[in-house]
């Protein structure tokens, strides 16, 4: 079987180049030189982020198709751009490849990266290939742009701002749970299949982030990569506030509720702690509520809901029936 | 012993932040949000590159101090910027960390990254931390800027252009050979110690790349990361030329010559094939020679030498005594 080791570095780079379609005019110099050269967007700031997927930490090759790994590696980065309100322009792909990786998997992974990148109007501009003596590591860098006055940060929230999320939570964690439990894909209903899809092929809320940023209706934003609880905690702490959520307002995905029933888990705790829902969390002052919801509506995002507010009292809490309980921890990488 | 796993992700990020000194005004938003935000340099293009160091492929923890790994991870990226003539502005650091990595090694590695970054006037602007079930991987992204008309590419060379390199070669490969052979550091002479230093703590030729770019005297440039032979081959191929070197003109480092004698290797072949000499290779038209050498001199680079020329005939050759022989292969990652 052909492997990345048998192909050689130059042939791998040629295979990447052969897959590129979108070479926008701002890409002055793409793959093939010592560095990529990009013309900045006039009057805008550069926004840059990096995030990686590590085999056996973030994915298992036995569970997830190589294309999906590529799609997800881009989506997790674009989600960070979405949380700033930025528009993606360029991606760099840095791969640490086990020598025995089948060439077909390499091609599929690159296909996933290129399709997710180009679907957002961005270009794969460069990167790096190296050998890995251990896991496959897919490290993506995403660059975007935003006007200075539109930039969304996580530290701009104020006590009294209302908290919204752009869609149901717990779905990705339920999808991961199903993979870990070895469920048969054929046996799954539509809700469960959606949970798997959210875990395997997340889509960043780029349009929503951009339109909310343009409306200047939100004071702060963050994505839910590390879970809802962690996102609320980090936004609140950065904004020097506390936060209070109401359990019954939290939209737990139907597939996650069904999964929790089967697994004997509490759906609210599951949804608060579960990571990898690439939704966005916004803090919105009451007087900007209509402008915010109008921007969200224009983005095509139909499931945005109010879940609580920032408080002057510090600490992050959830009101549940008559009890007020502190947040569980989110996903930690160590 | 304290490890990165016992410290936890947030504490690690705090430890990075505590080490930062240089937060230039163009860094609108640094570590701590979903993405970094950077104000582009007015009238200039963004130059961006990524390169990684993988444990047991590019370094061994038993051989190399953690600080040096950090310094080198930045230098290999800055060398790519130098080859474009660009000035570094920002760095992102993406680490895949074995959980048992001692916290002291993490701190030292970050110290190396920050010191190399800030020494070049750039800022550590963001990054990512994740767990690795295998090797330590240090993935660095470097961003810089350059004026459009000054940009150095590898594909601008023309037949007849003269080839220059900025310093002696073979030193880093000799340093690696010494480490592999388990030499005693105390027993080494000054030349041999310099070979080790070139391997372990390379410095990118940033000032030389920038001043040559500003002088617009070179038609093409590339760095020697993958060895002299590979650099000449890639610059020539990208420029649709061939190349001819003269063996006696190639400046093999004194420590590498001594190492080859001991190891029974041919110094010229060793120096052509050996990678990781972070010198630059320039193609210079004869009529720009004086401007080029003046720019190199202003950069403080004292060891720049002429090694051959680009040819209209394709293929890359070296003239040695009375024989004309094809190039050996450079370092390949697979």
């Amino acid at each position: 079987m052909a492997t990345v080791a048998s192909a050689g570095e130059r042939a791998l780079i040629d295979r990447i180049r052969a897959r590129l379609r979108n070479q926008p005019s701002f890409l002055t110099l793409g793959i093939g030189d010592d560095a990529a050269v990009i013309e900045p967007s006039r009057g805008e700031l550069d926004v840059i982020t990096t995030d990686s997927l590590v085999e056996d930490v973030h994915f298992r090759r036995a569970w997830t198709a190589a294309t999906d790994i590529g799609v997800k590696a881009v989506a997790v980065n674009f989600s960070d751009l979405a949380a700033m309100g930025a528009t993606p322009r360029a991606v760099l792909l840095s791969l640490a490849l086990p020598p025995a990786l089948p060439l077909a998997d390499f091609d599929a992974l690159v296909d996933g990266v290129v399709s997710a990148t180009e679907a957002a109007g961005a270009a794969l501009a460069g990167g790096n290939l190296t050998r890995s003596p251990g896991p496959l590591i897919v490290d993506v860098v995403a660059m975007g742009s935003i006007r200075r006055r539109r930039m969304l940060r996580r530290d701009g929230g104020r006590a009294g701002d209302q908290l919204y999320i752009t869609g149901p939570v717990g779905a990705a964690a339920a999808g991961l749970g199903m993979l870990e439990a070895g469920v048969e894909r054929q046996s799954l209903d539509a809700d469960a299949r959606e949970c798997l899809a959210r875990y395997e092929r997340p889509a960043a809320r780029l349009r929503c982030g951009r339109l909310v940023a343009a409306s200047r209706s939100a004071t702060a934003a963050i994505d839910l990569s590390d879970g809802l609880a962690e996102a609320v905690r980090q936004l609140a702490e950065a904004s020097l506030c506390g936060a209070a959520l109401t359990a019954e307002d939290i939209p737990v995905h139907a597939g996650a509720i069904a999964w929790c029933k089967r697994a004997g888990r509490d759906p609210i705790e599951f949804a608060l702690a579960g990571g990898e829902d690439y939704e966005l969390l916004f803090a919105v002052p009451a007087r900007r509520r209509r402008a915010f919801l109008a921007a969200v509506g224009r983005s095509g995002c139909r499931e945005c809901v109010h879940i609580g507010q920032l408080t002057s009292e510090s600490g992050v809490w959830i009101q549940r029936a008559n009890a007020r309980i502190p947040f569980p921890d989110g996903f930690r990488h160590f």
Side-chain angles (χ1 to χ4, degrees), chain A:
Chain A
M1 186 176 57
T3 64
V4 293
S6 64
E9 186 176 5
R10 280 190 184 205
L12 296 178
I13 294 171
D14 288 342
R15 296 178 90 88
I16 294 174
R17 213 183 255 149
R19 288 174 155 71
L20 303 181
R21 294 288 171 272
N22 188 32
Q23 298 285 283
S25 60
F26 61 75
L27 185 61
T28 306
L29 197 55
I31 290 174
D33 214 301
D34 287 279
V37 181
I38 294 164
E39 188 166 345
S41 180
R42 191 178 294 267
E44 298 201 312
L45 301 174
D46 288 332
V47 183
I48 183 162
T49 188
T50 182
D51 208 348
S52 56
L53 299 185
V54 179
E55 180 179 356
D56 294 337
V57 176
H58 303 100
F59 65 89
R60 286 181 199 272
R61 271 195 272 159
W63 293 353
T64 301
T67 318
D68 290 349
I69 297 168
V71 168
K72 185 165 176 173
V74 173
V76 302
N77 279 279
F78 281 1
S79 183
D80 284 325
L81 295 186
M84 310 296 295
T87 301
R89 304 178 87 231
V91 159
L92 303 184
L93 174 63
S94 183
L95 293 172
L97 300 167
L101 185 77
L103 198 53
D105 286 355
F106 173 85
D107 288 345
L109 196 162
V110 173
D111 280 337
V113 167
V114 171
S115 67
T117 298
E118 298 193 344
L124 182 60
N128 185 55
L129 299 178
T130 188
R131 183 162 62 82
S132 169
L136 170 62
I137 300 193
V138 186
D139 211 336
V140 165
V141 180
M143 244 183 110
S145 66
I146 187 148
R147 289 196 209 164
R148 183 186 295 272
R149 295 180 62 197
R150 291 183 174 178
M151 178 172 65
L152 287 166
R153 312 164 52 130
R154 55 173 77 164
D155 63 1
R158 282 163 299 205
D161 286 353
Q162 302 300 303
L163 297 173
Y164 291 84
I165 55 175
T166 52
V169 287
L176 173 59
M178 292 171 203
L179 289 173
E180 285 174 340
V183 297
E184 292 280 334
R185 283 178 193 254
Q186 301 90 306
S187 71
L188 300 177
D189 66 10
D191 286 339
R193 283 201 304 275
E194 195 178 314
C195 289
L196 267 187
R198 294 265 184 133
Y199 175 74
E200 294 182 325
R201 288 183 304 282
R205 292 282 192 187
L206 283 166
R207 190 170 154 79
C208 189
R210 189 163 63 233
L211 290 178
V212 169
S215 75
R216 301 185 62 199
S217 57
T219 52
I222 187 172
D223 83 339
L224 300 192
S225 49
D226 292 344
L228 176 58
E230 191 66 15
V232 171
R233 188 198 313 277
Q234 291 195 10
L235 188 149
E237 284 182 6
S239 300
L240 307 176
C241 294
L245 305 192
T246 307
E248 62 202 22
D249 290 342
I250 294 172
V252 183
H253 190 277
I257 292 174
W259 175 253
C260 285
K261 197 167 178 180
R262 180 169 159 185
R265 301 283 301 270
D266 176 79
I268 294 290
E269 283 181 19
F270 183 83
L272 277 169
E276 303 208 72
D277 288 313
Y278 291 94
E279 303 293 345
L280 300 178
L281 168 71
F282 292 105
V284 181
R287 64 186 165 74
R288 301 294 291 153
R289 178 175 170 274
R290 290 180 64 174
F292 170 75
L293 292 175
V296 170
R298 279 196 303 279
S299 79
C301 175
R302 299 273 166 262
E303 300 181 284
C304 184
V305 295
H306 176 261
I307 57 163
Q309 58 278 322
L310 294 179
T311 59
S312 54
E313 182 194 19
S314 69
V316 283
W317 301 87
I318 183 157
Q319 185 71 36
R320 195 163 188 190
N322 292 323
R324 186 165 167 274
I325 53 176
F327 272 26
D329 270 1
F331 177 77
R332 299 295 170 101
H333 296 280
F334 291 97

